[in-house]
Amino acid sequence: MSPRKARAMLGWAYLLPYASLFVLFVLVPIVVAAYLAVMQFDLTSPKSAGFVAFRNFADAWRDEYLQRAFVVTAKFAAMMVPSLVVVAFALALGLNAMPRGRNAVRAMVFLPTMFTVAVTGILWQWFYNLEFGLFNFVLKNLGLAPVPWLSDKNIAMPSIVLMSLWWTSGGTAVILLAGLQNIPRMFHEAASLDGADGWRGFWSVTFPLLRPVVLFVVVTNLIGAFQFFPQAQLLTGGGPELATRGVVQYIYETAFNGYRLGYAAAMSWMLAAVVAVFGFLQFWLMRKEAS
Amino acid sequence: MRIRQALNGLLATILAILLVRSGWIGAVRGRTQTEISFWNGFTGPDGRVMLELIRRFNRENPDLRVSMQRIAWATYYNKLMVAAVNGRGPHVFVIHASTLPRMNRAGFLEPADFLFGPGGVPEQDFEPLVLRTTEFGGRRVGVPLDIHPQGLYCNTDMLREAGIVDERGRPKPPTNREEFLRAAALMMRPRGSPSPDRYGFALTHWQNNYQSVFPQFGGRYLDERGDADLDNPGNVEALEFLGSLRTEKRLIPPPDNQLGWIGFRQKKVGMVFDGVYMLGDLKRLEGLNYVGAPMPVLGHKPGTMADSHILCMRKGLTERERDGVARFIRFLSENSLDWAEAGQVPARRSVRNTDRFRSMQVQYAFSRQIPYMVYPPRIVPLFEMGLEINLAVERVIRGRMGAKESLRIADENAQKAIDRDRAESQAPGGSR
Amino acid sequence: MKGRWVLLVAMFAVGLLFVAPMVLMVLTSFKPEAEVLNPESAIPKHWTLQNYLDVLNWSEEAPFVRWLMNSVLVSSSVTFLVLVLSSLAAFGITRVRVPGGGAFFYLVVASMMVPGLLFLVPVYFILNSLRLLDTPAALILPAAGGGFGVFLLTQFMKSLPKAIEEAALIDGCSWLGVYYHVSLPLCAPAMATLGVLTFIGSWNDFVGPLVYLDSIQNYTLPVGIALYQASYYTEYGRTLATSAMATAPLLLIFAIFQKQIVESMSSTGLKD
């Protein structure tokens, strides 16, 4: 055996353990999902399963519920990502400016990130409950009218965003804080000398230097927002009047309540296409940033 | 180096737990017993009663070992379906009568006719209406265990306080529309306030509430051809009535998740409609005094919605497993009086005709609705239709739309689901 | 400076806001049922352990200790496998420089774009044909096939100089020896990040166990709590007690490894 060949064999021996799992649990599923998407595959009518080419996609394109679900998901992303960036930035700047006690507060705001979805849902259901919830109890004691946190079409989504902010902004703040601390002191000193303090200093010096980190935060959270489901599942079940039923929940229900696996797979691919657009955007922007 | 220590530590943890687990698993296996797996969604207090019954069965039948698996109803059916379709399903399991059409067409249910008759359960002991839910193409696919109608729960202290009592001073649940509206208004505190502390009535699961009411107005789900008929005059009238409780009469709180039931538990709501199965949740409460009663007649005739737990078995069992399952089903059926304690009405007439059942106040009161109860329609896309009904009710009780318009939309969408299912069950890409 | 102190106090107040829900959860779980829904005072008037005792006594319905063990088993196994397999793969790609390794790397990265939802049903079928459903392996193996570890470690190894490894090779060390004695220690910071993120991700995984497990005895904590909540949603006291118990191990880990965890998180944003 030539040394080159031997080295190739050796290399693949290192790759093999991972690669086998990768093929089995990533590549094969992708192929299966592609196959399902062009099939009519209803568990409730096994006899009529069969190839339907792109009919699932055509149906999905016309599916009003899917359109509504995309609007809901987009709405969540549009509310969540900007507010997350603002809140996390405020936290990071505050933490960065703290003379002492920074690590303690950093740990405090990071803590909710450790909570599992189920516990988070249990807690916030209790807070948001219309009649017996904590928030409305406080409002009532202040002499204010109770707020229908989860049962009003226009308030339910902001309520979910608020919970998500509590849950995730600490993690994002920590990322931004690390970015801030990576900025060499001399930049701030130079800005100070130029009289660019405070707000102006932030916009003219800090923010541009943090561009790559902010970009990362925005794009990963945008991709995450398109997977919107567990938060709504736990708090509202998609209601009121489907106002919080996003794409992922609709697909999940189609697959696991309606048992229409082929149709669900087709819709998943449509969601994947949207997510991929953001993924490539990230890739492209980062490349551009790097060069 | 620390990273390698960390890896070793992880490995040690894994091995330690595996060791403990293998101890657990090794301990339970018996050798000569036939293992029977039984799945259901009884994750609440009803599960404890069922577990007790299974322990007894296992004691009385040393050659069998039934093990029960409880899965929350929300995910139960998709787990059962995928498992069974993949040949991995349990031997015996519970399916709601309303879900049977869907599960039956998936093709994993074993015909259960042999369970009836001598050596099995007596056919004539069941209501024909209930038996019919298990019949497909002339064959039965299961044995009904119980009947769970929707009915009225009343807080007796609140009734008494509001002066709603009979001639002997006992709290008197309302029986008709006038009494119902009067009771709802009288129990409100403070009366006529825009945000009262206590309500006379609240909706619980509004879809079920509505489906329990519309049969009273002559409403229905399907027309004679099996097409959706959700916007018939009876349905519209029923939904208009429910909607008016909130929008015009201001008698009930705004609809919110589970609000009505939690309120009833907290003594902040005087009356609710819910299933007999919710009784288990009340039994564990101290200091709440309540009675069950048939649904008041809000429309033109008595009526309510009901469903049943049906015991079914999977295709492809061995002879011994089949025999074991048959004995187990017969055991549960014969002992359904114990099951009734958990908050159920037994499917068997002979069990309901016992003094012990008559002394179960709520169960007995709810069982009086059997002559006129209505089961959901026997169609495969029931989940889709249910969602449309749910949305239609929600739009109306939130005051966003009139009942007629709202039900028309639901009817249209439900019909689409029915048409699609008809086409797709014939052939892939069936014409539409 | 006065402004600095105002900032300090303000930030601590904000921090408390983030911690408050957890504190409330713990305090309320010590309240008797009657007090739970009357939140006049956050601190219980009558302290009681009843909620915890109730949960632990119903081990047949909610085998809490089993769930905890399962969670530890699954999360540890996933973390172990991801660390070992990913580092081996990254070593093969960057150090042995196997032909086709670069293409494989891009395949892995591209696969990370596909939403997890798409995998649910196909992976179910695969696990079913392998007879692995309803076992811990159903949660461990698919998670170990995820691409994030390979992505992170390959990027990290690429940025390290190869000189030490090459010297070791020339000294007669075998490739495996180089991996174990040289590359692993060099990768320690990235491995720590990866380990922490993987462990937390696996611990909090909800959809996987929901779809791939049937038996209550095999549940992990998140689905266990969800089951408990679905069954006893009306009993906040007990639900909160289960939640508190489920969160406690993670808080313990957080208390011990706070620095590493926070730094792992922050370093995800800084990678090239």
Side-chain angles (χ1 to χ4, degrees):
Chain A
M1 213 187 320
S2 70
R4 252 192 75 174
K5 220 172 159 192
R7 186 158 166 162
M9 297 261 300
L10 178 80
W12 278 102
Y14 283 91
L15 273 177
L16 198 67
Y18 173 74
S20 52
L21 285 182
F22 176 74
V23 169
L24 196 56
F25 291 109
V26 179
L27 282 192
V28 175
I30 290 179
V31 175
V32 173
Y35 170 76
L36 278 176
V38 293
M39 295 281 288
Q40 177 184 308
F41 196 86
D42 298 5
L43 288 181
T44 49
S45 37
K47 290 198 189 100
S48 65
F51 178 73
V52 292
F54 293 103
R55 198 197 70 200
N56 286 331
F57 290 94
D59 284 357
W61 188 258
R62 285 192 305 263
D63 187 336
E64 275 172 42
Y65 282 136
L66 182 63
Q67 291 161 14
R68 275 167 83 176
F70 262 112
V71 171
V72 167
T73 298
K75 217 166 128 187
F76 174 75
M79 284 190 207
M80 181 65 201
V81 178
S83 49
L84 177 72
V85 171
V86 169
V87 170
F89 239 116
L91 287 174
L93 288 172
L95 284 169
N96 196 38
M98 280 178 84
R100 69 189 67 188
R102 180 190 296 155
N103 282 355
V105 175
R106 190 177 70 167
M108 286 160 100
V109 301
F110 187 79
L111 198 76
T113 319
M114 307 288 290
F115 276 57
T116 118
V117 166
V119 173
T120 309
I122 289 169
L123 270 176
W124 284 77
Q125 246 175 22
W126 172 44
F127 294 165
Y128 279 149
N129 192 297
L130 185 60
E131 291 281 309
F132 318 109
L134 200 64
F135 287 178
N136 281 348
F137 176 83
V138 174
L139 287 178
K140 259 188 183 171
N141 275 10
L142 295 174
L144 298 167
V147 174
W149 297 101
L150 299 175
S151 48
D152 184 288
K153 262 182 109 166
N154 301 315
I155 303 176
M157 188 59 97
S159 299
I160 290 176
V161 170
L162 183 66
M163 178 190 88
S164 307
L165 282 177
W166 172 79
W167 196 23
T168 60
S169 59
T172 306
V174 161
I175 294 177
L176 292 173
L177 177 65
L180 282 174
Q181 288 170 338
N182 258 25
I183 297 174
R185 270 206 99 72
M186 47 178 255
F187 280 103
H188 292 292
E189 280 156 12
S192 267
L193 286 178
D194 285 351
D197 254 336
W199 194 236
R200 261 190 55 210
F202 173 73
W203 276 120
S204 58
V205 181
T206 317
F207 194 75
L209 284 168
L210 271 182
R211 273 254 304 271
V213 185
V214 174
L215 188 69
F216 170 83
V217 164
V218 167
V219 178
T220 45
N221 279 294
L222 207 53
I223 294 175
F226 269 86
Q227 320 263 358
F228 170 67
F229 169 43
Q231 302 96 314
Q233 165 83 347
L234 287 161
L235 283 187
T236 60
E241 290 179 60
L242 302 186
T244 59
R245 181 170 83 166
V247 184
V248 174
Q249 187 181 344
Y250 182 50
I251 296 175
Y252 187 90
E253 286 176 4
T254 304
F256 291 108
N257 294 114
Y259 308 107
R260 300 169 65 204
L261 301 186
Y263 189 54
M267 291 195 289
S268 312
W269 279 111
M270 291 169 91
L271 177 67
V274 175
V275 173
V277 169
F278 289 109
F280 286 118
L281 193 72
Q282 173 178 32
F283 196 69
W284 181 70
L285 284 171
M286 291 226 166
R287 276 250 154 136
K288 227 179 97 186
E289 203 69 44
S291 60
Chain B
M1 281 303 284
R2 295 214 349 244
I3 191 71
R4 280 173 290 171
Q5 280 166 5
L7 286 176
N8 291 338
L10 275 177
L11 199 58
T13 313
I14 296 166
L15 291 177
I17 294 180
L18 282 178
L19 212 68
V20 177
R21 276 178 64 98
S22 67
W24 273 331
I25 292 161
V28 288
R29 291 265 172 262
R31 195 145 302 164
T32 54
Q33 289 175 321
T34 305
E35 293 274 331
I36 308 244
S37 57
F38 173 40
W39 282 17
N40 57 55
F42 305 136
T43 52
D46 45 359
R48 224 171 298 164
V49 176
M50 187 51 87
L51 208 59
E52 206 44 63
L53 277 167
I54 290 171
R55 280 206 199 102
R56 223 174 90 200
F57 178 79
N58 284 341
R59 269 200 310 274
E60 291 171 14
N61 297 269
D63 59 324
L64 297 173
R65 210 186 87 83
V66 175
S67 55
M68 169 160 108
Q69 194 52 257
R70 283 157 298 167
I71 298 168
W73 286 119
T75 50
Y76 173 72
Y77 282 118
N78 65 56
K79 282 194 178 294
L80 179 66
M81 174 79 106
V82 228
V85 166
N86 284 297
R88 221 173 42 82
H91 301 115
V92 50
F93 39 88
V94 169
I95 294 183
H96 282 98
S98 54
T99 315
L100 267 181
R102 188 155 232 167
M103 299 290 149
N104 176 61
R105 207 172 70 191
F108 58 84
L109 299 183
E110 172 81 357
D113 299 284
F114 76 99
L115 291 169
F116 292 86
V121 292
E123 189 175 334
Q124 62 286 357
D125 208 14
F126 294 87
E127 302 297 323
L129 171 70
V130 181
L131 273 188
R132 222 173 298 137
T133 63
T134 68
E135 286 166 6
F136 294 90
R139 316 191 73 164
R140 294 203 186 104
V141 295
V143 175
L145 173 66
D146 55 42
I147 299 168
H148 43 264
Q150 303 280 313
L152 171 71
Y153 289 95
C154 295
N155 180 320
T156 45
D157 294 333
M158 284 174 74
L159 279 180
R160 194 176 284 122
E161 197 187 312
I164 306 163
V165 290
D166 63 9
E167 58 278 7
R168 280 191 282 167
R170 290 176 310 193
K172 184 179 177 300
T175 58
N176 57 39
R177 186 197 288 227
E178 287 65 43
E179 288 174 6
F180 171 78
L181 290 175
R182 190 171 152 261
L186 285 179
M187 285 191 275
M188 204 175 203
R189 293 280 183 284
R191 217 167 288 170
S193 144
S195 71
D197 297 324
R198 282 210 247 153
Y199 283 95
F201 177 74
L203 295 174
T204 50
H205 187 292
W206 57 66
Q207 184 191 334
N208 285 351
N209 295 161
Y210 166 66
Q211 291 179 186
S212 308
V213 170
F214 79 60
Q216 302 186 349
F217 290 83
R220 62 183 184 178
Y221 299 89
L222 304 172
D223 62 16
E224 290 75 21
R225 284 162 307 166
D227 285 335
D229 188 23
L230 296 181
D231 57 347
N232 66 69
N235 288 16
V236 173
E237 201 190 338
L239 189 49
E240 269 167 358
F241 173 75
L242 277 191
S244 73
L245 291 178
R246 169 75 196 149
T247 51
E248 284 164 37
K249 304 192 175 77
R250 294 271 153 202
L251 277 178
I252 61 173
D256 195 25
N257 277 342
Q258 312 292 2
L259 190 81
W261 186 257
I262 295 179
F264 186 73
R265 290 177 104 252
Q266 296 296 321
K267 304 173 200 167
K268 289 178 176 171
V269 170
M271 300 182 289
V272 286
F273 302 151
D274 218 317
V276 66
Y277 41 80
M278 293 305 281
L279 179 60
D281 191 48
L282 293 183
K283 275 190 168 177
R284 287 179 298 168
L285 279 180
E286 278 163 32
L288 177 73
N289 299 311
Y290 58 92
V291 287
M295 291 283 296
V297 182
L298 304 173
H300 319 305
K301 58 180 184 187
T304 190
M305 181 180 75
D307 209 336
S308 283
H309 294 124
I310 313 286
L311 296 163
C312 302
M313 61 203 292
R314 173 165 62 81
K315 272 185 181 160
L317 301 187
T318 67
E319 204 50 50
R320 282 179 68 182
E321 286 167 345
R322 236 172 99 100
D323 171 63
V325 168
R327 272 154 64 195
F328 179 60
I329 289 181
R330 204 180 65 209
F331 172 87
L332 286 185
S333 184
E334 280 166 1
N335 290 285
S336 50
L337 199 51
D338 293 327
W339 177 235
E341 296 277 7
Q344 298 289 345
V345 175
R348 291 174 67 161
R349 212 175 285 132
S350 60
V351 178
R352 293 200 303 272
N353 283 338
T354 56
D355 287 343
R356 189 170 146 214
F357 180 70
R358 291 215 178 86
S359 70
M360 301 179 190
Q361 195 275 330
V362 174
Q363 293 93 321
Y364 179 63
F366 278 43
S367 77
R368 278 155 50 206
Q369 307 177 96
I370 287 177
Y372 50 77
M373 63 187 179
V374 177
Y375 279 77
R378 302 181 69 207
I379 55 170
V380 171
L382 184 66
F383 169 77
E384 288 81 352
M385 181 184 255
L387 183 75
E388 295 302 336
I389 295 176
N390 192 15
L391 287 171
V393 179
E394 189 174 8
R395 286 189 291 260
V396 173
I397 54 182
R398 292 199 196 285
R400 286 224 313 106
M401 205 182 270
K404 191 159 188 179
E405 172 68 358
S406 185
L407 283 169
R408 191 190 56 74
I409 296 170
D411 186 68
E412 228 167 70
N413 290 334
Q415 186 58 38
K416 273 188 218 157
I418 291 175
D419 287 341
R420 195 205 59 237
D421 180 68
R422 275 185 196 147
E424 290 191 353
S425 62
Q426 303 302 324
S431 61
R432 275 174 261 172
Chain C
M1 270 167 72
K2 212 169 147 199
R4 294 229 152 166
W5 283 104
V6 173
L7 180 81
L8 188 75
V9 173
M11 284 309 289
F12 261 99
V14 170
L16 281 178
L17 218 57
F18 276 80
V19 182
M22 195 202 64
V23 176
L24 273 175
M25 171 175 87
V26 174
L27 286 176
T28 308
S29 68
F30 288 107
K31 286 182 177 181
E33 191 68 26
E35 234 185 285
V36 169
L37 281 167
N38 296 321
E40 268 123 36
S41 135
I43 295 157
K45 286 192 194 104
H46 309 278
W47 290 80
T48 172
L49 279 172
Q50 200 53 43
N51 292 321
Y52 288 88
L53 294 176
D54 283 348
V55 172
L56 291 173
N57 279 342
W58 291 349
S59 63
E60 203 151 14
E61 281 169 63
F64 196 83
V65 181
R66 279 295 298 250
W67 293 344
L68 180 66
M69 293 279 240
N70 291 335
S71 273
V72 176
L73 175 70
V74 168
S75 301
S76 309
S77 306
V78 169
T79 309
F80 179 79
L81 276 183
V82 163
L83 286 177
V84 172
L85 299 190
S86 308
S87 59
L88 278 173
F91 185 77
I93 293 170
T94 60
R95 292 299 183 265
V96 191
R97 271 177 296 154
V98 46
F104 181 73
F105 176 69
Y106 281 111
L107 193 64
V108 170
V109 174
S111 77
M112 288 167 61
M113 300 284 181
V114 184
L117 175 72
L118 203 72
F119 293 96
L120 273 186
V121 171
V123 168
Y124 184 95
F125 287 141
I126 292 167
L127 289 170
N128 180 51
S129 58
L130 296 173
R131 303 267 152 221
L132 288 179
L133 283 172
D134 204 21
T135 67
L139 305 179
I140 296 166
L141 295 181
F148 180 67
V150 173
F151 170 71
L152 191 79
L153 291 184
T154 304
Q155 291 287 74
F156 188 80
M157 280 199 186
K158 265 185 189 162
S159 68
L160 289 180
K162 300 192 186 72
I164 310 174
E165 279 126 327
E166 276 158 14
L169 270 181
I170 291 166
D171 283 350
C173 198
S174 71
W175 279 104
L176 203 61
V178 173
Y179 163 77
Y180 191 71
H181 293 292
V182 184
S183 299
L184 267 192
L186 280 177
C187 283
M191 295 276 277
T193 300
L194 179 61
V196 163
L197 292 178
T198 307
F199 192 92
I200 295 174
S202 172
W203 185 273
N204 285 341
D205 181 21
F206 186 73
V207 179
L210 190 68
V211 177
Y212 305 139
L213 300 180
D214 300 327
S215 313
I216 292 183
Q217 314 84 271
N218 288 336
Y219 277 10
T220 54
L221 277 173
V223 272
I225 309 163
L227 172 80
Y228 196 87
Q229 197 237 358
S231 317
Y232 300 102
Y233 65 88
T234 50
E235 301 184 356
Y236 281 118
R238 287 182 194 141
T239 310
L240 291 175
T242 10
S243 304
M245 283 196 283
T247 313
L250 220 53
L251 291 187
L252 193 73
I253 292 177
F254 185 64
I256 299 171
F257 298 108
Q258 198 245 107
K259 207 165 148 260
Q260 283 92 329
I261 292 174
V262 174
E263 272 162 16
S264 314
M265 192 68 187
S266 42
S267 64
T268 54
L270 297 178
K271 62 176 184 267
D272 337 321

